[in-house]
Amino acid sequence: MRVTDGPLNWETQNGYTPRGVRAAGPTVWYQSTAVVAMLDAADEEHARRIRAENERGGDARGVVASVARALGVDIDEGRGHRWDLDHMRRVVPAAETLREERDTALGESKGMLDLLRQAYDQRDAWKTAMEEMDAKHVLPLRRELRDERENSAALAAELRAAQAALRRQPARMVFHATVAEERDWMASDLVTADVLAKISATAPVGSLVDELKNVIVSQAREIARLKGGE
């Protein structure tokens, strides 16, 4: 119950109250000073209630002013006072417009959220497909590449070992008069089959070994031709 509801609640200095006066009934006569005291007490109670109501009204007007500022509504424009009812009602359509804009934005945001969820689903599907493709095709190729690199490293190590073995042997020029002598020399202990096999297995076609063989054969044939001419 609000402060302004119900009967007035006052009391005079002599102890008269509304309830006591009503209980005594209309046959009781009061002195004029007592009646004046009752009227003064009633006026004071009325004034107290009016002050309380004004205070609440001031708080309500403050809220209206705050809402008007937030909505960008001028409640002072035009004739009359800002606290007139038609001035304060200006905040109502502005608030309704804001609500409609909010509802529209919520609907659009819901559509954007749906699109975003679809994009996430597509991303997850593509990720799963790429992982399956990687497991089916890419991983075997990676393993083959790793094996090829390991084999290449092993072959390179064997080639370096063969080259080191050749460098440890003393270098000398050997001339052959005939192809048979060259073949015998190639089959001798000076050039082992193991060394030639390693070099031939790792050296590319047209390498230095093949060129060296060709040079030796050519020199041997040229020497044989010159001796035959003598």
Side-chain angles (χ1 to χ4, degrees), residues 15-210:
Y16 293 110
T17 63
R19 177 177 297 181
V21 172
R22 291 188 182 93
T27 59
V28 179
W29 292 86
Y30 299 96
Q31 296 181 357
S32 59
T33 56
V35 174
V36 170
M38 293 179 191
L39 292 175
D40 291 340
D43 289 341
E44 179 61 28
E45 179 63 16
H46 278 296
R48 187 186 68 79
R49 290 194 176 188
I50 291 173
R51 287 193 298 270
E53 186 66 23
N54 286 337
E55 184 177 355
R56 284 193 300 274
D59 294 339
R61 288 190 291 271
V63 172
V64 173
S66 299
V67 173
R69 284 194 300 270
L71 297 175
V73 177
D74 187 3
I75 59 177
D76 293 316
E77 183 181 2
R79 299 179 59 183
H81 194 272
R82 69 182 312 185
W83 302 130
D84 291 343
L85 184 60
D86 59 333
H87 284 244
M88 291 189 293
R89 276 181 176 171
R90 295 174 184 174
V91 301
V92 176
E96 291 175 347
T97 301
L98 180 62
R99 182 187 61 189
E100 293 174 357
E101 293 176 352
R102 180 207 61 185
D103 295 341
T104 302
L106 287 175
E108 294 177 353
S109 63
K110 184 178 182 300
M112 293 297 295
L113 287 175
D114 293 338
L115 292 176
L116 186 60
R117 292 191 187 96
Q118 293 177 5
Y120 282 146
D121 294 340
Q122 292 178 357
R123 181 204 62 182
D124 295 339
W126 276 104
K127 182 179 179 181
T128 302
M130 292 301 295
E131 290 175 351
E132 293 177 354
M133 183 180 297
D134 186 75
K136 185 176 181 181
H137 301 287
V138 178
L139 289 180
L141 292 177
R142 288 178 179 174
R143 285 192 292 267
E144 291 181 5
L145 179 60
R146 182 189 58 198
D147 296 340
E148 289 294 334
R149 287 177 177 174
E150 293 176 354
N151 294 334
S152 298
L155 292 175
E158 293 181 2
L159 177 59
R160 288 193 296 269
Q163 291 174 343
L166 288 176
R167 284 194 295 269
R168 287 194 297 269
Q169 295 182 3
R172 55 182 177 175
M173 181 67 72
V174 180
F175 297 95
H176 302 284
T178 63
V179 176
E181 291 180 358
E182 178 188 356
R183 186 169 55 250
D184 294 339
W185 178 81
M186 294 293 292
S188 65
D189 295 335
L190 296 176
V191 182
T192 63
D194 182 61
V195 173
L196 288 177
K198 290 182 178 179
I199 296 175
S200 299
T202 57
V205 177
S207 65
L208 182 60
V209 176
D210 294 333

